Amino acid sequence: MADSHDNLDMIRKAVDFFNEKQVSAVLHAGDLVSPFNVKGFTELEAPLHLVFGNNEGDRITIKEWFVKQGANVCGDFGTFSSSLIFVPSWPYHY
């Protein structure tokens, strides 16, 4: 999942879909944009792992609120479980 861009209704629909499918984890590749979107994930039953995109307006608050919900906030790059999964929201150049 990625590029939520302040669309709280779609976030909630995605959460309902993930819960219905009983997914084992959800990865968000960034661009939530505003902290208020965090509340859209409240009902998510699976663990959430997210990286920041290039449009997060308040990373500090987004991280704080997600951590309170038990999410794994990886910053710009991170791992979950024992695997390294690269999920960029914007192009990385090597």
Side-chain angles (χ1 to χ4, degrees):
M1 154 173 217
D3 297 296
S4 302
H5 291 276
D6 287 345
N7 193 333
L8 195 54
D9 288 336
M10 290 306 292
I11 291 170
R12 289 183 173 139
K13 287 179 183 179
V15 166
D16 288 344
F17 175 81
F18 297 142
N19 289 343
E20 177 184 316
K21 297 298 181 184
Q22 298 179 336
V23 301
S24 58
V26 173
L27 308 177
H28 195 295
D31 286 358
L32 286 156
V33 182
S34 301
F36 74 82
N37 291 297
V38 174
K39 65 184 171 185
F41 292 89
T42 305
E43 302 298 321
L44 182 64
E45 296 168 2
L48 175 65
H49 308 272
L50 65 126
V51 295
F52 291 128
N54 61 335
N55 287 298
E56 264 62 72
D58 184 353
R59 290 180 174 207
I60 293 169
T61 302
I62 289 170
K63 182 176 181 176
E64 287 175 358
W65 291 4
F66 268 126
V67 167
K68 287 179 184 177
Q69 288 187 11
N72 177 22
V73 181
C74 301
D76 290 324
F77 186 84
T79 62
F80 80 99
S81 184
S82 60
S83 302
L84 176 64
I85 297 177
F86 186 56
V87 184
S89 178
W90 47 275
Y92 272 87
H93 301 282
Y94 297 96

